[in-house]
């Protein structure tokens, strides 16, 4: 199994239209939201996760990671103490989220997600896949999830 299937640096655009340059394949990822944590693990990146929010409890391996104490207002110092080279968060407050600006000050690549539909979730899986060198895995996961959605819709 390939660990990385992209050349770095890569540039991605997150859900807020922000352009983020990822200089090298991330080795230390902080996930701030259960949905983000699940996507990252589903892409096979669990061993690179160094921190998750206090509500991330799936997969079970996530509960053993260092916890970010406040999911709605993450403390930049707490995040920085984990020495991440990529932060991925969900914005509970939409595009005017003050946490984005606070975390940007860390000068660590920060991807912000804010999906509202299945298609948005699929786009975010691809976004995370592209940012981490797991684009092939992201495409395969999206295909599986689209089939599951189609199956449920046809019940």
């Amino acid at each position: 199994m390939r660990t990385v299937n992209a050349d770095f640096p890569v540039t991605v655009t997150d859900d807020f239209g922000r352009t983020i340059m990822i200089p090298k394949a991330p080795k230390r990822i902080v996930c701030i939201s259960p949905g983000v944590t699940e996507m990252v693990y589903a892409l096979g990146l669990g061993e690179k996760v160094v921190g998750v929010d206090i509500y991330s409890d799936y997969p079970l391996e996530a509960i053993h990671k260092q916890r970010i104490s406040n999911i709605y207002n993450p403390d930049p110092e707490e995040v920085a103490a984990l020495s991440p080279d990529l932060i991925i968060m969900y914005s509970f407050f939409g595009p005017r989220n003050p946490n984005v600006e606070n975390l940007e000050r860390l000068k660590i690549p920060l991807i912000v997600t804010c999906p509202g539909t299945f298609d948005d979730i699929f786009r975010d899986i691809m976004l995370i896949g592209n940012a981490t060198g797991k684009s092939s895995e992201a495409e395969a996961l999206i295909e599986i999830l689209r089939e599951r959605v189609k199956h449920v819709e046809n019940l």
Side-chain angles (χ1 to χ4, degrees):
M1 180 173 161
R2 294 187 302 174
T3 302
V4 174
N5 54 22
D7 294 323
F8 283 86
V10 297
T11 301
V12 297
T13 303
D14 72 8
D15 287 2
F16 284 4
R18 297 167 52 254
T19 300
I20 300 95
M21 196 273 291
I22 314 292
K24 59 185 178 177
K27 293 181 180 174
R28 299 182 59 82
I29 302 172
V30 169
C31 303
I32 307 175
S33 109
V36 166
T37 301
E38 291 180 27
M39 285 185 227
V40 169
Y41 271 87
L43 291 172
L45 294 161
E47 74 281 352
K48 296 178 189 266
V49 174
V50 295
V52 299
D53 63 274
I54 59 172
Y55 300 108
S56 288
D57 60 4
Y58 184 86
L60 288 176
E61 295 86 4
I63 65 172
H64 301 293
K65 299 294 182 172
Q66 181 67 41
R67 304 300 223 170
I68 303 300
S69 60
N70 190 331
I71 189 172
Y72 302 107
N73 188 19
D75 179 350
E77 290 180 17
E78 189 177 27
V79 174
L82 299 172
S83 301
D85 52 13
L86 179 62
I87 305 165
I88 309 171
M89 69 175 282
Y90 172 81
S91 175
F92 292 95
F93 305 106
R96 299 193 190 278
N97 187 338
N99 297 310
V100 173
E101 187 176 316
N102 290 338
L103 290 172
E104 281 178 325
R105 288 187 186 118
L106 296 174
K107 303 293 185 204
I108 298 167
L110 169 68
I111 294 173
V112 182
T113 66
C114 195
T117 66
F118 281 126
D119 285 338
D120 294 344
I121 293 168
F122 300 150
R123 184 191 64 238
D124 286 343
I125 291 169
M126 198 70 235
L127 167 63
I128 294 168
N130 289 338
T132 59
K134 294 281 194 170
S135 55
S136 295
E137 291 85 343
E139 289 171 356
L141 177 59
I142 292 165
E143 186 176 325
I144 290 167
L145 293 174
R146 284 191 192 280
E147 287 300 316
R148 287 182 184 173
V149 169
K150 192 182 303 181
H151 176 74
V152 170
E153 288 175 339
N154 291 331
L155 290 178

